Amino acid sequence: MKQFNGKVLFLDRSDINTDEIIPAKYLTEITKQALKPYLLEDLFLEGFDPQTDIKGCSVVVSRDNFGCGSSREHAPWAFEVNGIHMVIASGFARIFHQNMFNCGMMAVELEDQVIDTLFQTFAGKETRVEVDLNQFLFTFTSGSLVKKIEFTLSDFALSLVKAGGWVEFADKNY
Amino acid sequence: MGQTIAEKIFDRHLVDKPFRDVCVISLDAVFCHEITTPVAINDLAARNKDRVFDASKIKAVIDHVTPAKDSKTAMQGKILRDWARRHSIRDFFDIGRNGVCHALFPEKGFVRPGYTIIMGDSHTCTHGAFGAFAAGVGSTDLEVGILKGVCSFKKPDSIKINIAGTPPSGVYAKDIILALIARIGVNGATNAVMEFSGEVVDHMDMDQRMTLCNMAVEAGATSGICVPDMHTVDYLWPFIEKDFSSKQAALKAYQVYCPDDDAVYRDQMDFHVSDLEPQVTFGFRPDQVKTVSEMAGTKIDQVYIGSCTNGRFQDLAVAAAILKNKKIDDSVRCIVSPATPDIYTRALESGIIRIFMDAGFCVTNPTCGACLGMSNGILADGEVCASTTNRNFNGRMGRGGMVHLMSPATAAASALTGRITSAADC
Ligand code: SF4
């Protein structure tokens, strides 16, 4: 199973699409590792610099309809090779959501208000999140600020995370 | 309880329900192109599972970058080509016979009502025009599809969209779907199937229905879907005439996939098009849409006519009718990519290609081309394109470029002036 704890990268916009996550010109790469330098290269967001802000992060927190657009699994892979194994957002596009779990990673949906609170409380501060997959609990921490947030995962999603992805799961079952 | 089209198709293909809400369904076809498939192929090989579930159900094409533009894209083509040979995949389309996947595969008769289809491409929803459940997936889903012939989906809800009225002349399927996306929003149909029906859809030919279903994913939908009818049978007839005694018999067989009157929908909406004007996008999201008259006069640098949305014969014919005996404006450069060799040939024989060339268009081979900014027709920073494609995301056609989505008629009219222009003003 992958490792999900770590530093949070806040991306404060809805509808962040897969072209922004990894531009089409890099789809000529046939290894995941080659995508590493280009993650979020075309995301133009005030105060965000992909060159400096991604390094060391393990989790992305964002808004609604995250990962919309193209079906390219290069988007989850580009996160994966940068050590980001989880995206928490108020909503996801279907294909991106499925792709994350298919790779044994997590795309967790939280209510709008909860995401709002996370942005208000932690954005701009050095923040970490710990994930408890037994109790379905996130613990966000920044200095002395601590917030515990419950989440849900479907049984299917959880078994993909535990199996390490859909190829392993399907190969065993079909 | 009554069922939607998607529910009927899922019932007939259900292999397993490993969890509540999760359906593993069998696949009638797995479509492949050279961008998202090579990674799946390499991963299968690395796992020692370089096999295919059924070579006759796999269809593959090199379409996104063709001819190859550099060593990397040449390698992507080679991986797909070698794999197709190795597994005796007969329906593999290489340069000279290739075209944009979502135009080529229907034209070859690979789609039938009631089919389940996946492809590592978000616009796979196009094939729902035939009454099929067709969905874009990532490379891992594709990989399992290739290996096992199954895919998992949440059982999709459907949204019934009744398109009513009579579209005014000059209003096309593209204008209707742009206006619909503006109404529904870019995630209004997430995890749902958009089931298109109503008198307007009844009168649409298959090319128009494909344009409609093509952009369902831009509202977040898993698939667009149209009820199979006589238009569907007429289109498919050359491929199915051996299977049925008559077109009526074929229609009857396909009608098992019509939705029941008491089917349950997530949502139902009526969409009236009698007063609709031609539409165009203005921002970086496909739901940011205005009328062409509101946007008229916006300066453009390039016009692109093509893609899986609007690169079919009728699209070219509509544009050519506007361009006939005219020249494009000096300030603009214009590219047309007929979506398949067959479309190209028909356009050549009917004089359409000549009209484009006389007007000053560059005619490319069938390819995705400028649509995704991977090979030709890329915009420079700050440039603007009037395009018949389906995505206007920031950087889609080149970093710093702006894409305005519109119908082929509006694109052709805009080519003549170098500004966004209504075809009615030509
Ligand atoms: S034409 Fe554009 S949208 Fe269609 S398959 Fe090709 S790249 Fe994708």
Side-chain angles (χ1 to χ4, degrees):
Chain A
M1 201 168 81
K2 290 202 156 54
Q3 149 72 33
F4 299 103
N5 300 336
K7 192 176 148 193
V8 181
L9 170 65
F10 288 93
L11 299 175
D12 195 0
R13 211 199 75 202
S14 293
D15 308 307
I16 290 179
N17 64 58
T18 52
D19 275 84
E20 291 169 314
I21 298 169
I22 186 82
K25 63 181 176 215
Y26 302 121
L27 303 187
T28 59
E29 300 296 346
I30 49 175
T31 66
K32 296 181 185 181
Q33 209 54 39
L35 303 171
K36 191 168 179 192
Y38 312 121
L39 176 65
L40 295 170
E41 183 181 276
D42 273 0
L43 180 68
F44 301 103
L45 203 59
E46 218 189 296
F48 171 69
D49 179 358
Q51 293 308 322
T52 53
D53 298 352
I54 293 170
K55 211 167 175 292
C57 290
S58 308
V59 177
V60 164
V61 172
S62 189
R63 301 278 183 180
D64 207 4
N65 200 29
F66 191 90
C68 59
S70 134
S71 67
R72 62 189 70 159
E73 204 160 305
H74 307 68
W77 296 333
F79 281 121
E80 186 181 6
V81 295
N82 277 281
I84 295 174
H85 295 164
M86 179 162 70
V87 180
I88 302 169
S90 26
F92 290 94
R94 178 192 64 88
I95 304 175
F96 179 85
H97 187 263
Q98 189 63 43
N99 285 347
M100 286 291 281
F101 288 103
N102 280 349
C103 295
M105 300 196 280
M106 293 214 280
V108 182
E109 207 171 299
L110 295 177
E111 296 283 329
D112 278 347
Q113 303 94 299
V114 181
I115 293 284
D116 273 343
T117 317
L118 285 178
F119 272 101
Q120 282 157 13
T121 320
F122 295 107
K125 304 187 181 85
E126 176 97 7
T127 306
R128 283 185 58 83
V129 63
E130 307 285 324
V131 188
D132 183 338
L133 273 176
N134 296 314
Q135 304 194 48
F136 297 101
L137 198 67
F138 292 134
T139 307
F140 285 83
T141 321
S142 178
S144 57
L145 276 174
V146 179
K147 224 173 199 12
K148 292 197 182 287
I149 289 167
E150 292 179 0
F151 65 94
T152 53
L153 273 191
S154 74
D155 295 341
F156 184 46
L158 186 63
S159 48
L160 290 180
V161 171
K162 289 192 168 155
W166 169 234
V167 182
E168 290 78 0
F169 184 94
D171 201 41
K172 212 162 77 211
N173 293 289
Y174 305 108
Chain B
M1 198 171 71
Q3 289 186 308
T4 64
I5 308 182
E7 284 169 339
K8 290 189 173 189
I9 297 175
F10 266 56
D11 266 12
R12 284 171 168 78
H13 291 81
L14 193 66
V15 172
D16 188 20
K17 272 192 90 137
F19 301 100
R20 197 173 53 87
D21 276 358
V22 179
C23 303
V24 175
I25 57 171
S26 61
L27 301 170
D28 295 306
V30 176
F31 292 165
C32 300
H33 65 53
E34 89 280 16
I35 302 298
T36 51
T37 318
V39 203
I41 295 170
N42 284 350
D43 196 61
L44 283 170
R47 292 171 191 270
N48 244 330
K49 295 183 197 304
D50 184 17
R51 302 187 297 271
V52 301
F53 82 108
D54 182 342
S56 71
K57 290 182 176 166
I58 296 179
K59 317 289 174 187
V61 64
I62 296 175
D63 61 351
H64 278 57
V65 184
T66 178
K69 63 169 178 159
D70 55 17
S71 307
K72 284 181 176 174
T73 50
M75 182 50 75
Q76 289 181 307
K78 179 174 160 53
I79 293 171
L80 194 70
R81 186 180 300 119
D82 289 350
W83 171 76
R85 284 206 188 116
R86 189 157 79 233
H87 296 288
S88 308
I89 295 166
R90 285 190 25 236
D91 294 314
F92 167 63
F93 300 89
D94 209 334
I95 194 155
R97 287 166 294 123
N98 61 0
V100 178
C101 50
H102 308 307
L104 185 75
F105 291 153
E107 194 183 276
K108 296 288 174 192
F110 296 157
V111 186
R112 299 291 150 77
Y115 263 24
T116 51
I117 301 169
I118 62 165
M119 179 172 198
D121 192 285
S122 59
H123 295 102
T124 307
C125 51
T126 312
H127 308 285
F130 293 83
F133 175 82
V137 297
S139 292
T140 302
D141 272 333
L142 180 71
E143 184 174 333
V144 170
I146 288 168
L147 184 66
K148 299 276 175 180
V150 299
C151 194
S152 81
F153 288 96
K154 228 176 164 168
K155 190 155 196 170
D157 300 330
S158 294
I159 300 173
K160 192 181 184 75
I161 298 164
N162 173 40
I163 307 180
T166 313
S169 91
V171 169
Y172 299 90
K174 181 63 160 286
D175 301 301
I176 294 174
I177 189 65
L178 284 174
L180 251 171
I181 294 165
R183 167 126 159 232
I184 296 172
V186 284
N187 59 349
T190 299
N191 284 319
V193 169
M194 289 166 86
E195 195 184 285
F196 298 110
S197 60
E199 53 188 322
V200 177
V201 186
D202 293 344
H203 285 104
M204 282 183 176
D205 61 22
M206 294 313 295
D207 281 11
Q208 291 174 288
R209 289 181 193 178
M210 283 190 262
T211 301
L212 197 64
C213 290
N214 176 271
M215 290 195 71
V217 69
E218 307 310 331
T222 306
S223 188
I225 211 161
C226 296
V227 182
D229 62 4
M230 216 34 161
H231 288 289
T232 324
V233 172
D234 282 339
Y235 185 102
L236 290 175
W237 190 243
F239 308 103
I240 60 172
E241 57 182 333
K242 283 197 265 345
D243 305 335
F244 296 101
S245 56
S246 66
K247 288 187 175 181
Q248 276 307 327
L251 182 62
K252 194 149 175 267
Y254 293 150
Q255 274 169 339
V256 300
Y257 295 107
C258 291
D260 296 323
D261 292 338
D262 57 345
V264 180
Y265 292 90
R266 184 212 274 187
D267 203 359
Q268 302 205 30
M269 61 187 277
D270 291 318
F271 193 71
H272 294 275
V273 298
S274 297
D275 297 324
L276 195 69
E277 288 180 45
Q279 308 282 305
V280 54
T281 60
F282 62 87
F284 293 126
R285 290 203 329 247
D287 63 352
Q288 293 175 308
V289 176
K290 290 185 177 174
T291 63
V292 170
S293 29
E294 284 173 296
M295 290 290 286
T298 307
K299 189 81 197 63
I300 54 172
D301 302 288
Q302 175 168 298
V303 171
Y304 185 61
I305 297 179
S307 86
C308 58
T309 322
N310 282 125
R312 297 189 182 80
F313 185 78
Q314 277 308 324
D315 301 319
L316 270 44
V318 164
I322 292 163
L323 296 167
K324 194 166 184 179
N325 299 326
K326 300 205 171 101
K327 297 269 180 233
I328 63 169
D329 191 72
D330 282 345
S331 67
V332 73
R333 54 186 195 270
C334 301
I335 303 168
V336 57
S337 301
T340 69
D342 187 58
I343 294 165
Y344 199 140
T345 308
R346 286 169 65 200
L348 204 57
E349 283 167 358
S350 56
I352 286 173
I353 296 294
R354 183 68 199 256
I355 294 172
F356 274 113
M357 294 190 73
D358 285 349
F361 268 69
C362 161
V363 184
T364 81
N365 61 303
T367 174
C368 294
C371 173
L372 84 168
M374 259 188 99
S375 57
N376 61 33
I378 294 171
L379 301 176
D381 193 4
E383 285 191 325
V384 180
C385 183
S387 178
T388 68
T389 53
N390 47 35
R391 275 198 184 128
N392 54 347
F393 294 164
N394 196 355
R396 171 82 178 178
M397 205 175 270
R399 197 175 164 94
M402 162 63 92
V403 175
H404 296 286
L405 306 176
M406 60 186 71
S407 73
T410 310
S414 305
L416 297 174
T417 60
R419 293 170 185 278
I420 292 179
T421 303
S422 167
D425 298 336
C426 285

